[in-house]
Amino acid sequence: MAKLYFSYAAMNAGKSTILLQAAYNYRERGMEVLLLTSALYKDDGDGHISSRIGIGADAILYTEKTDLHALVSDAVSNHKLSAVFVDEAQFLTNEQAWQLARIADHLNVPVLAYGLRTDFRGELFKGSAALLAIADSLREIRTICECGRKATMVVRLGPDGEALTEGEQVSIAKATYLSLCRRHWEERMGRFPPAPVSG
């Protein structure tokens, strides 16, 4: 029985590296896999998943309008598919998360999705929220804060190096992100210590 897996983490935890390694393992054993990634930040329209350590693989781009179930159904009709890998899963719509579940449930193809859990404001991405709710298996990929604790949060830094506390959840503008533990995220965001109450 195929399952829907969701692996989540803060920025720079190695999600894409793990995805690429897993896909390589399937291919090394002669199995066919399909790699998908969000078109949101792609400038050239070419699908590619790359890792900070220098490895990469071609992938099919999806937008919020892509019917992922139909896309995989077409692929399965042409050849046996052993797994589907989805990068940048936080950008999925709620309906697309359910489409991934249907790929596992009705097409019997395992789906391995990788993405961020929360944005720089500490709020769930829509795609991540849906996957956290419906995935058969959840896995946290760990990275560390500058203090050495587990990093679970991320801040978006402005040009001055200060943490931005407002803005769109998804920003196409190039930005710098920093993964932090919850304690240091609150400090960088100015949420703790609390501002004194005037009166």
Side-chain angles (χ1 to χ4, degrees), residues 33-45:
V33 297
L34 186 66
L35 275 61
L36 305 170
T37 190
S38 172
L40 199 56
Y41 289 105
K42 303 295 183 184
D43 297 327
D44 54 10

Side-chain angles (χ1 to χ4, degrees), residues 60-90:
I60 296 172
L61 294 178
Y62 66 84
T63 70
E64 62 181 15
K65 296 180 181 177
T66 305
D67 184 331
L68 299 176
H69 185 270
L71 190 154
V72 174
S73 292
D74 288 345
V76 169
S77 68
N78 293 326
H79 47 76
K80 180 172 172 50
L81 198 58
S82 295
V84 174
F85 291 87
V86 183
D87 199 28
E88 305 288 6
Q90 70 271 13

